[in-house]
Amino acid sequence: MTDTWSPNRIEALEQLLTERDGRILDSLESFRVLSTRQIQRLHYPAGLGGIHATVPTATRLAIRTLLRLEGHGFIARLERRVGGKVRGSAATTWHLAATGERLLRARRAEPGRRRYVEPSRSFLTHTLAVAEVAVGLIERHHGGQLELLTVQTEPTARRTYSGPSGPVTLKPDLYAVIANSDYESHAFIEVDRGTEHLPTVLGKCRTYLQYRQTGTEQAAHDVFPIVIWAVPDERRAGQLRAALRQDSSLPPDLFTICTHETVLDVLATSLTPKGGTP
């Protein structure tokens, strides 16, 4: 029994999708999970610069599309609820279902399928928080506030290098490159929820330092990205700053610490000259 879909099967499924449907599937593959509200903001933008007059109108249209995609088996909703202020259908969290995941793989002629495992609440909360930063960047790009040249999520953002004991893989939550008319800025972004022990966070900081010392990123892009730790509140920010000061092996210029609410503004003001020194 073959696990490969026929061209006719693929074509029949493609005919069920609009161009925007396809972009929604791509977003869910990239971000792993997204809320209805995040999907609306990405694909049904509303208000100034958007294609819909109001957020409620855009949300209704987004929900209608998501229910249709769910009905065809392309996407599925998560039963596990994630806390937040949004209620009702707009708070639903979505992921690729088997048909959607296999169709995207078939487009790329990739064999096999992924086995779906219900994610933990911690994973969901973190993944949605990372997506929130990326969605905010995309919104600022569409609003003309900055030019978003690149945004990569896990695992695309990974960097592998040779460490003292063998290959090491650095796993940023996000990698972004933004620009304006004169300058360009590269950034690795870590979205911290305050649940990791500080020694674990410092361990990842040392991984960033090791990677910078290889010169790999500088050789490819002329600069080493700033490393931004976006934390839940000022208390956590103060704890992390104090821990970094106490560790003399970690250079203070490598890390920028801010809250979740200010990370986009920090990114917007981090633009450095193209071809700047590492």
Side-chain angles (χ1 to χ4, degrees):
M1 180 178 177
T2 180
D3 193 43
T4 304
W5 280 348
S6 69
N8 287 340
R9 169 67 168 156
I10 295 171
E11 182 180 359
L13 289 171
E14 293 280 14
Q15 289 178 352
L16 297 173
L17 297 171
T18 67
E19 183 178 343
R20 180 155 52 184
D21 293 342
R23 293 196 298 268
I24 291 173
L25 298 188
D26 288 338
S27 293
L28 286 171
E29 182 180 49
S30 176
F31 292 107
R32 303 185 187 182
V33 294
L34 288 169
S35 68
T36 299
R37 181 70 76 215
Q38 288 171 333
I39 293 170
Q40 174 261 306
R41 288 161 58 199
L42 284 171
H43 300 288
Y44 291 81
L48 186 63
I51 60 176
H52 301 286
T54 66
V55 170
T57 297
T59 301
R60 284 195 298 271
L61 292 172
I63 290 171
R64 185 183 304 168
T65 295
L66 293 170
L67 292 176
R68 175 171 52 78
L69 292 174
E70 181 185 35
H72 289 307
F74 291 112
I75 67 174
R77 67 186 71 203
L78 288 165
E79 296 304 322
R80 187 186 297 275
R81 301 286 290 183
V82 179
K85 295 181 180 179
V86 180
R87 302 179 64 184
S89 299
T92 302
T93 302
W94 302 90
H95 67 95
L96 281 179
T99 298
E101 191 269 332
R102 289 191 66 192
L103 177 61
L104 295 185
R105 282 177 174 265
R107 285 176 176 176
R108 300 189 296 264
E110 292 180 5
R113 66 175 76 179
R114 286 184 186 151
R115 177 174 170 269
Y116 176 73
V117 177
E118 180 78 9
S120 67
R121 181 178 295 277
S122 175
F123 173 87
L124 274 178
T125 304
H126 179 256
T127 303
L128 288 170
V130 172
E132 187 64 22
V133 177
V135 171
L137 277 173
I138 293 168
E139 285 182 317
R140 291 198 177 197
H141 171 77
H142 291 317
Q145 296 165 273
L146 53 79
E147 183 180 1
L148 181 61
L149 302 180
T150 299
V151 62
Q152 295 177 349
T153 58
E154 243 281 307
T156 309
R158 291 180 181 180
R159 305 291 197 269
T160 300
Y161 64 94
S162 296
S165 303
V168 178
T169 300
L170 175 66
K171 301 177 181 179
D173 288 331
L174 284 173
Y175 168 70
V177 182
I178 62 175
N180 58 23
S181 58
D182 299 310
Y183 302 109
E184 183 176 291
S185 179
H186 298 232
F188 290 125
I189 305 165
E190 295 289 341
V191 180
D192 172 73
R193 295 179 47 248
T195 56
E196 293 282 1
H197 294 302
L198 286 176
T200 301
V201 174
L202 293 178
K204 190 159 192 181
C205 289
R206 294 187 192 97
T207 304
Y208 275 108
L209 175 60
Q210 283 185 353
Y211 181 56
R212 185 172 77 165
Q213 290 170 339
T214 68
T216 304
E217 198 79 13
Q218 298 92 314
H221 303 292
D222 294 331
V223 296
F224 189 82
I226 58 171
V227 181
I228 298 177
W229 284 91
V231 301
D233 50 44
E234 286 299 336
R235 179 175 178 272
R236 177 69 167 182
Q239 292 172 339
L240 182 51
R241 289 189 186 105
L244 287 169
R245 284 195 300 269
Q246 292 169 9
D247 191 327
S248 60
S249 69
L250 292 170
D253 67 312
L254 182 55
F255 306 103
T256 298
I257 301 167
C258 63
T259 63
H260 294 171
E261 288 75 16
T262 61
V263 61
L264 295 180
D265 292 331
V266 168
L267 275 166
T269 58
S270 69
L271 294 171
T272 53
K274 296 181 179 179
T277 56

